[in-house]
């Protein structure tokens, strides 16, 4: 499925929307994202992520699949290509793992809770109580006057940094090495965001889905997902 959303490329944002973008991409944002590892905890437990090189491969995989899909759905909501209801169904369809869907809705609920405090006059009722992260992010982008390209970029970027930070903690990696890795992958994040606003992405990664399910069945994991 391919629906044109925007012309390619990232457009400049106003100072206000750029500051909002930086806040939305801040790991300290109280939306509950810090308790989700994006599957990297299970990847470490399974021996797939052991060090910086294997973390690099994992993050590239996350960016190109889950980052792209989430960002494209958010952009579709923000540009009106998809209604909230349609985007919710499309997100379910693109998230085969029940554990993955639960994690998405948990993070979407956290973002919605914060957004209601920041933009109380915006009509939030259409999102319900447990929206997917992508759907909530699209509506938040509109409320915060953030360009769709930058909404997409914030989602791709946090898809990477959430897993990178979790891996740093779990593997006791040098924070400087992990920071250098995120700088290295920044161009890929920008390229992925540019693709996300062009059309809806409809791919999934079976490995990430399997990791999500195994993590959900594990006793006493450190992260929710």
């Amino acid at each position: 499925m391919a629906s044109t959303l925007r012309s390619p490329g990232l457009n400049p944002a106003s100072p206000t929307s750029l500051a909002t973008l930086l806040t939305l991409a801040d790991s300290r944002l109280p939306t509950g994202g810090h308790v989700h590892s994006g599957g990297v905890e299970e990847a470490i437990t399974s021996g797939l992520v052991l060090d910086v090189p294997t973390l690099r491969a994992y993050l590239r995989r996350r960016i190109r699949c889950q980052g792209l899909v989430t960002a494209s759905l958010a952009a579709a909501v923000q540009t009106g290509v998809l209604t909230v209801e349609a985007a919710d169904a499309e997100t379910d369809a693109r998230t085969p793992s029940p554990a993955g869907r639960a994690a998405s809705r948990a993070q979407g609920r956290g973002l919605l809770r914060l957004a209601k405090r920041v933009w109380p006059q915006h009509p939030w009722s259409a999102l319900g109580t447990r929206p997917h992260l992508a759907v909530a992010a699209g509506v938040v982008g509109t409320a915060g006057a953030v360009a769709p390209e930058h909404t997409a970029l914030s989602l791709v970027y946090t898809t990477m940094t959430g897993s990178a930070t979790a891996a740093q903690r779990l593997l006791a990696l040098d924070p400087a090495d992990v920071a250098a890795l995120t700088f290295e992958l920044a161009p890929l994040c920008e390229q992925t965001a540019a693709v996300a606003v062009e059309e809806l992405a409809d791919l999934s990664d079976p490995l990430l889905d399997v990791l999500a399910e195994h993590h959900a069945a594990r006793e006493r994991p450190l992260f929710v997902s």
Side-chain angles (χ1 to χ4, degrees):
M1 178 190 334
S3 301
T4 299
L5 304 180
R6 302 270 301 195
S7 59
L10 298 179
N11 296 329
S14 69
T16 299
S17 63
L18 181 57
T20 302
L21 168 67
L22 293 173
T23 303
L24 289 171
D26 193 328
S27 62
R28 296 168 297 179
L29 199 68
T31 59
H34 65 284
V35 302
H36 295 270
S37 77
V40 80
E41 180 180 3
E42 188 62 31
I44 290 170
T45 303
S46 301
L48 299 176
V49 173
L50 305 169
D51 48 22
V52 171
T54 50
L55 176 60
R56 176 185 294 106
Y58 185 84
L59 294 180
R60 291 178 68 88
R61 196 163 186 149
R62 282 268 291 162
I63 291 167
R64 288 173 164 168
C65 181
Q66 292 176 338
L68 173 62
V69 170
T70 303
S72 73
L73 286 161
V77 170
Q78 193 170 348
T79 57
V81 171
L82 291 177
T83 64
V84 165
E85 294 78 9
D88 189 86
E90 294 289 348
T91 306
D92 271 343
R94 288 163 169 75
T95 315
S97 161
R101 293 196 293 272
S104 172
R105 290 192 183 279
Q107 292 176 81
R109 180 177 57 190
L111 179 58
L112 174 61
R113 176 179 176 275
L114 176 64
K116 287 180 176 179
R117 296 282 296 275
V118 178
W119 299 283
Q121 303 307 317
H122 193 81
W124 299 106
S125 59
L127 283 174
T129 59
R130 296 183 68 251
H132 277 294
L133 175 61
V135 183
V139 179
V140 167
T142 298
V146 178
E149 295 91 338
H150 291 113
T151 296
L153 181 57
S154 71
L155 284 170
V156 176
Y157 176 77
T158 53
T159 292
M160 171 186 67
T161 56
S163 292
T165 301
Q168 176 186 311
R169 293 162 61 186
L170 292 168
L171 293 172
L173 298 173
D174 186 331
D177 288 341
V178 176
L181 178 57
T182 60
F183 275 106
E184 175 190 331
L185 294 176
L188 178 60
C189 289
E190 293 181 345
Q191 294 161 14
T192 302
V195 172
V197 298
E198 293 178 18
E199 62 181 19
L200 283 169
D202 57 0
L203 70 163
S204 65
D205 187 324
L207 174 61
L208 299 182
D209 294 331
V210 169
L211 290 175
E213 289 303 301
H214 285 180
H215 186 273
R218 188 175 299 281
E219 287 189 26
R220 299 181 180 179
L222 295 176
F223 288 86
V224 174
S225 70

